[in-house]
Amino acid sequence: EPEVTQTPSHQVTQMGQEVILRCVPISNHLYFYWYRQILGQKVEFLVSFYNNEISEKSEIFDDQFSVERPDGSNFTLKIRSTKLEDSAMYFCASSDQRGVADTQYFGPGTRLTVL
Amino acid sequence: GDSVTQMEGPVTLSEEAFLTINCTYTATGYPSLFWYVQYPGEGLQLLLKATKADDKGSNKGFEATYRKETTSFHLEKGSVQVSDSAVYFCALSDKGGSQGNLIFGKGTKLSVKP
């Protein structure tokens, strides 16, 4: 069964450094998402992406964040200058449609630790 | 804004016990409601969903009924197994808000003992 994959599974970085989290969505999907979960808190929506542009973003997704689909398979989240509070589990998801009831398929997550 | 509240965990049950995980929501539009499950080391997987009031979603022995009058979507299973041990997330997607984007609860960790 097709699945969303994410790399790395765990990333440790120093405050102020740039990180790139990578995702490979399911191959025929067109809509892509990033979510994050700070330890002990809710899973929060960051950004959605369709047709090579951002379709929606939350207040969390400020100028330090960017997303890109550099080729036909990868979908990346870049954090330009990491802060301690960026430490969280980051989930990528994809779906083949974008209706309210359409299933989003999630990857296993990347745990980001900022020291 | 839209939100989801689910019962705090962890929940520990013996095998074959009855499970209820409570979930309530607030939404401005007409949300669709979801339960996702995360097994250890894996991503979030859709467990079941309901798209309108009084709909019942069901899968793998789990079920949840969309109750508009109580704004609830409680997850139930009549007889849990050790393999059901996981974290369960209630979520909504609201046509009037962030269409297609999910709003999650905090998650409830379930441990089932043999």
Side-chain angles (χ1 to χ4, degrees), chain B residues 11-18 79-82 110-114:
Chain B
V11 174
T12 303
L13 295 173
S14 298
E15 209 164 21
E16 300 183 4
F18 185 85
S79 176
V80 294
Q81 305 301 311
V82 172
L110 171 67
S111 296
V112 181
K113 306 297 183 188

Side-chain angles (χ1 to χ4, degrees), chain A residues 33 35 37 40-45 47-48 56-57 89 91 98-109, chain B residues 3-5 32 34 36 38 41-44 46 49 51 89 93-95 97-102 104-106:
Chain A
Y33 308 84
Y35 293 82
Q37 185 180 30
Q41 299 187 24
K42 298 185 178 187
V43 176
E44 302 170 290
F45 166 73
V47 65
S48 58
E56 191 160 359
K57 60 183 180 179
M89 181 72 87
F91 294 104
R98 200 165 174 264
V100 290
D102 292 312
T103 299
Q104 294 181 26
Y105 294 83
F106 283 77
Chain B
S3 67
V4 173
T5 302
S32 290
F34 306 82
Y36 277 81
Q38 185 179 29
E42 299 183 18
L44 298 165
L46 179 67
K49 68 181 182 184
T51 59
F89 295 89
S93 183
D94 186 352
K95 224 179 247 186
S98 303
Q99 184 171 0
N101 304 326
L102 294 167
F104 285 90
K106 275 194 179 184

Side-chain angles (χ1 to χ4, degrees), chain A residues 45-109:
Chain A
F45 166 73
L46 293 178
V47 65
S48 58
F49 191 86
Y50 169 69
N51 199 26
N52 281 319
E53 60 183 29
I54 291 172
S55 38
E56 191 160 359
K57 60 183 180 179
S58 70
E59 293 176 354
I60 302 166
F61 195 87
D62 60 21
D63 291 344
Q64 67 162 150
F65 292 94
S66 62
V67 288
E68 192 179 30
R69 189 153 163 81
D71 52 43
S73 58
N74 289 283
F75 178 51
T76 62
L77 174 68
K78 182 191 289 186
I79 308 175
R80 257 180 280 282
S81 177
T82 51
K83 305 174 201 161
L84 294 175
E85 55 264 36
D86 294 327
S87 294
M89 181 72 87
Y90 288 81
F91 294 104
C92 173
S94 69
S95 67
D96 59 1
Q97 297 181 60
R98 200 165 174 264
V100 290
D102 292 312
T103 299
Q104 294 181 26
Y105 294 83
F106 283 77

